Amino acid sequence: MAKIKITQIKSVIDRSERQKRTMQALGLNKISQSVEVEATPSIVGMVRKVNHLVAVESI
């Protein structure tokens, strides 16, 4: 599996509870925080749901 780096670029304030929980599930709590994860289908699906809040780079 490929690894991807996900960085939070926008706040979750005024976002739906579902989007907030998705960001927590990805391990993102603060703006500019980054995580490196395997690009599994479930992770890719979560990133698609919050793509307006994150930046994604392949590693």
Side-chain angles (χ1 to χ4, degrees):
M1 284 281 163
K3 285 197 128 198
I4 56 174
K5 181 178 179 183
I6 307 167
T7 305
Q8 182 174 348
I9 57 170
K10 288 193 176 179
S11 173
V12 295
I13 295 173
D14 285 340
R15 304 295 175 180
S16 69
E17 190 64 31
R18 187 171 184 157
Q19 289 177 354
K20 290 178 185 180
R21 289 185 182 175
T22 301
M23 293 294 280
Q24 284 182 336
L26 288 170
L28 298 170
N29 299 311
K30 297 180 179 181
I31 295 177
S32 298
Q33 183 178 4
S34 297
V35 292
E36 292 181 9
V37 293
E38 294 288 330
T40 62
S42 60
I43 296 291
V44 172
M46 286 194 282
V47 169
R48 281 195 192 125
K49 291 294 184 179
V50 292
N51 66 349
H52 55 289
L53 302 175
V54 298
V56 181
E57 305 171 30
S58 58
I59 299 176

